[in-house]
Amino acid sequence: MQVRGGSSILAVAIVLMATPMAAAAQETVVAPAPVGTITRAAVRAQTPNEGVRPRHAQGDPLEGFNRKMYAINEVFDRVFFRPVAMVYKTVVPNFARKGIRHFFSNVGEPLVFANDLLQLKPKRAVKTLGRFVVNSTVGVGGLLDVAKTKDFRLPHRDNSLGDTLGHYGVGPGPYLFLPFLGPSTFRDLPAGAAEAQALPVVVGSPFDRAEFRIPQAVLTGLDLRVESDAPLKALTASAIDPYATLRSSYLQDRAGRVAATHGTRGGGAMSDPLADPLADPLADPAGGSAAVAPASPASANDPLADPLTDPAAEGAVGTATSKLERTPEYPLSDPLADPAASASPK
């Protein structure tokens, strides 16, 4: 009875000890799964947009629409507009196209003058007014750009209502591309439309008549297409994404023009027409011409001299060689000769 009771007690004790151990083992096996699941869920909650690509580039929320309009414009340009522009270039001589271009540019000088005043640039406004007067009189109504010659030194400077709005802090807004009009922004498109109505409303005839406005639109459009043909090819020929390349170029150009109204210009070699395109980009501009180390006599006289030889060590080597040559123990002057071979017994 004692043994049997003792064995019963021992069995009960083993069962009681095994129960928490089994529970602990179950916790050890099962616990990692929910911990891993919770960790992934927490990471996903912290980064909900991970791996999601933006639907449009910065500043171009209408990219889907703009790309469709760009594709339509490309087809129209390839099938109709560019061929007509090339015919215009072939038929109309260069001097005649320049005269037409100068005439319509001179017509727009009063708008440039107005924007100079709006930007509080009186000196520039005076130059613009002087340019308009010179070309309207001496330049035969603007057909000749006499004002830019060295006698007057009054070149044309672009300025528009879009530049004036940007000058006073109005942002460009979303990028916009429309067929037949090309790239623009929500700021520049209405500003350009307002400028187009300025002369017809303020001056009236002949700027408000169809006989003037239709030829102006057609001729300036064809001339612009002819003049921009080579730059467009150079811009988009090697571009992986021609639409994005044209958008970037346009927005940078507009940002540069607005910055120019504050007297700020973009840096870089391309901003300086006299910059040497082959100049060393790592050279110090403040240091002037880079100092060239004087060539050693050996390297200057010997065209086959080793360019990697240390010039400072050449004198020492030459002195040592001359000493060896003068020493009776080294009768051979050939530096490649084996010195041990010269000591052969006679």
Side-chain angles (χ1 to χ4, degrees), residues 170-224:
V170 178
Y175 177 76
L176 184 64
F177 190 97
L178 296 177
F180 319 122
L181 297 179
S184 186
T185 61
F186 273 35
R187 177 194 65 199
D188 295 336
L189 183 64
E195 279 191 322
Q197 299 298 324
L199 291 178
V201 172
V202 176
V203 179
S205 183
F207 304 108
D208 60 347
R209 300 178 64 85
E211 293 84 351
F212 176 85
R213 305 192 68 175
I214 293 177
Q216 180 188 25
V218 172
L219 293 176
T220 55
L222 290 175
D223 183 72
L224 179 61

Side-chain angles (χ1 to χ4, degrees), residues 99-184:
I100 295 173
R101 187 186 315 134
H102 293 159
F103 173 78
F104 287 115
S105 175
N106 190 63
V107 169
E109 292 292 349
L111 299 176
V112 177
F113 171 76
N115 283 286
D116 290 340
L117 292 179
L118 291 175
Q119 295 171 16
L120 304 179
K121 298 180 181 296
K123 293 183 179 180
R124 184 166 175 171
V126 170
K127 292 181 179 180
T128 303
L129 180 60
R131 172 181 169 81
F132 176 72
V133 172
V134 170
N135 282 344
S136 299
T137 54
V138 183
V140 193
L143 293 175
L144 302 176
D145 192 357
V146 183
K148 72 176 182 179
T149 61
K150 62 180 181 179
D151 295 330
F152 298 97
R153 301 182 185 275
L154 297 173
H156 172 75
R157 293 182 175 87
D158 290 324
N159 206 351
S160 65
L161 183 58
D163 298 335
T164 300
L165 294 176
H167 178 79
Y168 289 107
V170 178
Y175 177 76
L176 184 64
F177 190 97
L178 296 177
F180 319 122
L181 297 179
S184 186

